[in-house]
Amino acid sequence: MSDEPAAAADGETGSSFADTVGIWMPRGDELRVMTATAVVLAVFPFVFSRMPVVSDLLQGYQSLATLILIWGIFALGFDLLLGYTGLLSFGHAAFWGGAAYAAGVFSQHVSGSPILMVLAGTVFAVLLAWFLGFLSLRRGGIYFAILTLAFAQMMFYMSSSPLAFITGGENGFTGVETAELFGLFPLESELPLVLETLLGTWLYAFVAVIALLCVALGYRILHSPYGMVFRAIRENEQRAEFVGLNVWRYRLMSFIISGFFAGVAGSLFVIHGTYVPLSSLYWTTSGEVVIMTVLGGTGSLFGPVVGAGVYLYVENIVSGGHPFEFVAPFWHLILGLVFVVTIWVFPRGIWGFFRDVRDYVTGGED
Amino acid sequence: MSLLDVDAVDAYYGESHILRDLSLTVEEGEVCALLGRNGAGKTTTLRSISGAKPPEVRDGTVRFKGDDITGLPADDVAMQGISLVPEERRVFANLTVEENLRIAEVSRNTSNTWRRPRTATGQSMSTEQVYEDFPRLGERKTQKAGTLSGGEQQMLAIARALKQSTDLLLLDEPYEGLAPKIVEDVEAAIERISDQGVTILLVEQNAAAAIKIADRAYVVDQGAVVFDGSATELRDDDETRERYLGV
């Protein structure tokens, strides 16, 4: 743990320009994490879909690389709620799908600028999370899970028929009109020079930059007093209370933060697909993000992203008959097996397993 | 006006009547001991004050600095300046020692003004001061609190409470399960805190240890006060001690 959080907690005095800039610049552990993330994001599409031999083995493709990042952002935010604050929401489709619809409708009626679409979708998701969190967090445990599920299903129902004149009902929202990035670069066009080999399209570059910002934000939150309070609440709610913390308020904050990430991801999802399927509000979407998060490993920044990658890989590649043709019809079964075996053998998820291995090798403890 | 005034409280868990017309006061600056056998109602008394796992108080009031705090949620009670060191596993085991101390700072810096303003006026200890007073904690500040020994955890819980701004420190069985040598350390820590001007309400089964450092003592039995006097009086009152404390 770096000494940065301590500085943040005590740093009420310094407010000069240099300090303000200093706060925004990553240092120490944070700088290392951010650099590593940037490098991985920069080479991922190349390794996954274009590198000789490796990409033949993986059978990856550009669009899936983008999709993995988008779901990765969703799962990362979800883990802030599940893995750190200890709340299992079963209704995060509401924020993902809600943001997707909001961004889509926004693009049709106001502006198709990708940046503004993300902004619009995220604002919608945050306000919705505020409202639904306020209502759902009245109860804990299973009641909370069921309440969030119920609210998300209400949204699904609303957009499937009463609001079909806006949302397109069963057909999904088809009127997405995405404009060029900064008014210059069509998202599906290829990047110049070496960037084309590495990153591929402008769309990937756009998503990757946002993903990097999301990782930075997640890192900051987890290493701020908020992150500490979230972990304390997860460990023992009562103890947190008599230390003087308003548990309810911190839980709501955590819920809104995860709604924020879901909103960013949902907006990117509609930009990526230029279409909002009705199923983006369906409870299976809420279930998928739970599975991704647990599969990758709760209580870590990157575990959920890895989980999202594995999940989407099985869903898109293995289901297409790679590497074995005959398993294609059974890809759900394969996914189930991967999940069960992972949880059985590595209760802390894929990422947790790698951390345990590292700790074993270095003899250290994180 | 007493700092803490528990006035004729009747408290229930479900239908069981736990506290019966219980009254006690704690004066500013003193160490007040609340003694009694297991199940006499000591912890319930603390809980009706602190709001942590509170019983249902059907009658009577709890006043702190003159304000009615009966039935206030635990976080609001903490904001008034009452810090609790609860019995048994008292720290956030998955947080480091340093984080356990910092978390009290977070709560000190926030305020639930939209519910009830913060009125705590007590000083809060600086982290440096904590490490100076409890050097063992300084040595282990990056360790998970769960890896500390029982005595160290108790010290940490006390230190954490002192990092909130504390006008009244509630200690629930601080000696429980500790080795005699460690009990002496904790005792010394409590005396030092008291010398710094913090008011303490000490709940103990170990009457002999409590009387040693207390100014005044209450003895409770079956949810009611059966003795109220100075620590010296209790020391000389063999009958009360034998009957209610078994010593």
Side-chain angles (χ1 to χ4, degrees):
Chain A
M1 177 132 317
S2 70
D3 50 5
E4 197 138 12
D10 302 333
E12 286 158 298
T13 45
S15 62
S16 73
F17 179 71
D19 284 348
T20 316
V21 175
I23 288 171
W24 289 100
M25 290 305 292
R27 270 174 305 197
D29 280 353
E30 188 184 358
L31 186 62
R32 278 191 287 280
V33 169
M34 297 315 301
T35 312
T37 309
V39 169
V40 170
L41 287 176
V43 299
F44 175 54
F46 171 68
V47 173
F48 190 54
S49 62
R50 281 183 291 279
M51 191 168 158
V53 185
V54 178
S55 69
D56 293 335
L57 283 174
L58 291 175
Q59 291 283 308
Y61 53 93
Q62 176 75 26
S63 163
L64 183 58
T66 315
L67 197 63
I68 287 174
L69 291 201
I70 295 173
W71 278 92
I73 295 172
F74 188 15
L76 188 159
F78 188 77
D79 189 39
L80 292 179
L81 187 68
L82 175 63
Y84 287 88
T85 317
L87 285 171
L88 174 58
S89 158
F90 218 82
H92 260 49
F95 311 121
W96 162 270
Y101 275 109
V105 171
F106 181 85
S107 78
Q108 190 181 35
H109 296 288
V110 188
S111 158
S113 154
I115 294 174
L116 290 182
M117 280 173 73
V118 171
L119 213 59
T122 308
V123 167
F124 180 81
V126 165
L127 293 179
L128 188 67
W130 204 316
F131 179 63
L132 294 189
F134 191 84
L135 298 175
S136 313
L137 284 165
R138 296 283 157 197
R139 305 299 304 271
I142 189 73
Y143 300 101
F144 170 75
I146 298 297
L147 276 173
T148 50
L149 173 64
F151 284 123
Q153 285 300 91
M154 275 183 217
M155 295 222 359
F156 171 75
Y157 167 73
M158 289 299 285
S159 65
S160 77
S161 59
L163 291 179
F165 65 99
I166 304 175
T167 60
E170 298 281 335
N171 299 323
F173 184 78
T174 49
V176 181
E177 287 166 25
T178 317
E180 293 83 15
L181 188 61
F182 307 121
L184 292 172
F185 312 108
L187 286 172
E188 65 280 11
S189 69
E190 267 145 15
L191 288 156
L193 307 170
V194 68
L195 286 178
E196 189 204 326
T197 320
L198 277 181
L199 302 175
T201 57
W202 278 98
L203 176 62
Y204 180 84
F206 179 62
V207 172
V209 167
I210 292 183
L212 186 64
L213 291 176
C214 284
V215 169
L217 182 66
Y219 188 93
R220 281 289 170 97
I221 292 170
L222 291 180
H223 289 81
S224 75
Y226 268 107
M228 187 173 70
V229 171
F230 292 161
R231 280 181 290 142
I233 289 175
R234 182 188 172 185
E235 186 180 328
N236 193 316
E237 178 185 341
Q238 243 140 19
R239 233 166 275 171
E241 242 165 33
F242 65 67
V243 176
L245 301 168
N246 184 338
V247 169
W248 188 82
R249 199 170 64 169
Y250 281 101
R251 280 190 171 149
L252 180 61
M253 192 48 75
S254 171
F255 193 77
I256 294 171
I257 290 171
S258 76
F260 168 88
F261 282 93
V264 172
S267 312
L268 291 174
F269 178 64
V270 61
I271 292 171
H272 172 261
T274 59
Y275 166 67
V276 187
L278 180 60
S279 68
S280 63
L281 283 171
Y282 200 48
W283 66 268
T284 51
T285 302
S286 305
E288 277 172 55
V289 76
V290 176
I291 291 173
M292 287 174 186
T293 307
V294 174
L295 183 64
T298 54
S300 66
L301 198 55
F302 294 105
V305 184
V306 172
V310 172
Y311 186 100
L312 291 171
Y313 187 80
V314 174
E315 187 182 19
N316 290 280
I317 306 287
V318 177
S319 70
H322 177 81
F324 305 110
E325 194 69 50
F326 69 92
V327 302
F330 309 113
W331 73 270
H332 272 114
L333 188 64
I334 300 292
L335 197 58
L337 276 177
V338 168
F339 185 73
V340 169
V341 169
T342 306
I343 300 312
W344 210 344
V345 184
F346 323 122
R348 294 175 63 198
I350 299 169
W351 192 262
F353 166 72
F354 285 120
R355 278 212 294 210
D356 288 345
V357 168
R358 185 199 64 193
D359 293 346
Y360 182 77
V361 170
T362 62
E365 190 205 16
D366 59 346
Chain B
M1 183 180 74
S2 309
L3 183 67
L4 178 76
D5 187 358
V6 177
D7 187 21
V9 163
D10 278 271
Y12 293 75
Y13 277 116
E15 279 312 304
S16 2
H17 196 169
I18 311 286
L19 300 184
R20 297 159 191 272
D21 199 30
L22 183 137
S23 297
L24 63 86
T25 58
V26 179
E27 305 298 330
E28 198 151 351
E30 72 175 351
V31 177
C32 179
L34 182 59
L35 309 171
R37 288 206 180 91
N38 205 358
K42 306 184 297 291
T43 297
T44 308
T45 308
L46 274 201
R47 286 177 178 172
S48 28
I49 299 167
S50 71
K53 292 190 204 158
E56 186 195 342
V57 176
R58 292 198 191 158
D59 207 8
T61 51
V62 181
R63 284 175 192 285
F64 184 61
K65 298 187 225 164
D67 297 329
D68 190 347
I69 59 162
T70 322
L72 211 60
D75 51 332
D76 284 344
V77 171
M79 289 287 167
Q80 311 305 308
I82 298 182
S83 302
L84 170 68
V85 178
E87 56 188 336
E88 302 203 353
R89 297 178 48 203
R90 307 124 176 141
V91 293
F92 293 106
N94 291 324
L95 268 53
T96 64
V97 168
E98 201 165 9
E99 286 175 324
N100 266 279
L101 295 172
R102 265 183 31 226
I103 205 154
E105 253 167 56
V106 173
S107 71
R108 197 185 71 212
N109 290 336
T110 46
S111 161
N112 299 336
T113 34
W114 51 289
R115 258 175 28 196
R116 188 169 177 128
R118 226 187 84 184
T119 58
T121 52
Q123 291 238 321
S124 56
M125 222 184 218
S126 71
T127 310
E128 294 75 44
Q129 185 69 43
V130 167
Y131 291 153
E132 208 171 289
D133 282 4
F134 306 96
R136 307 275 289 176
L137 298 182
E139 290 162 24
R140 288 163 171 66
K141 59 182 166 187
T142 56
Q143 275 184 28
K144 293 256 166 81
T147 65
L148 300 181
S149 72
E152 288 162 348
Q153 289 194 16
Q154 184 60 269
M155 297 288 192
L156 178 58
I158 294 174
R160 183 185 63 200
L162 293 174
K163 281 200 64 72
Q164 300 168 232
S165 57
T166 304
D167 297 317
L168 172 65
L169 184 65
L170 305 178
L171 292 170
D172 195 354
E173 312 235 352
Y175 307 141
E176 197 187 8
L178 299 183
K181 174 72 188 75
I182 310 293
V183 168
E184 280 173 31
D185 289 351
V186 176
E187 230 169 60
I190 295 173
E191 279 188 310
R192 197 166 59 223
I193 292 157
S194 168
D195 289 344
Q196 286 162 3
V198 177
T199 312
I200 295 172
L201 177 58
L202 169 67
V203 165
E204 249 316 318
Q205 257 192 85
N206 181 348
I211 292 172
K212 240 197 303 186
I213 58 171
D215 301 311
R216 271 186 330 117
Y218 289 91
V219 177
V220 286
D221 189 54
Q222 296 181 3
V225 172
V226 291
F227 172 90
D228 165 14
S230 73
T232 330
E233 279 166 16
L234 182 57
R235 210 172 293 141
D236 299 337
D237 189 341
D238 293 338
E239 197 201 321
T240 305
R241 291 212 334 267
E242 264 164 43
R243 201 159 141 206
Y244 298 111
L245 302 173
V247 284

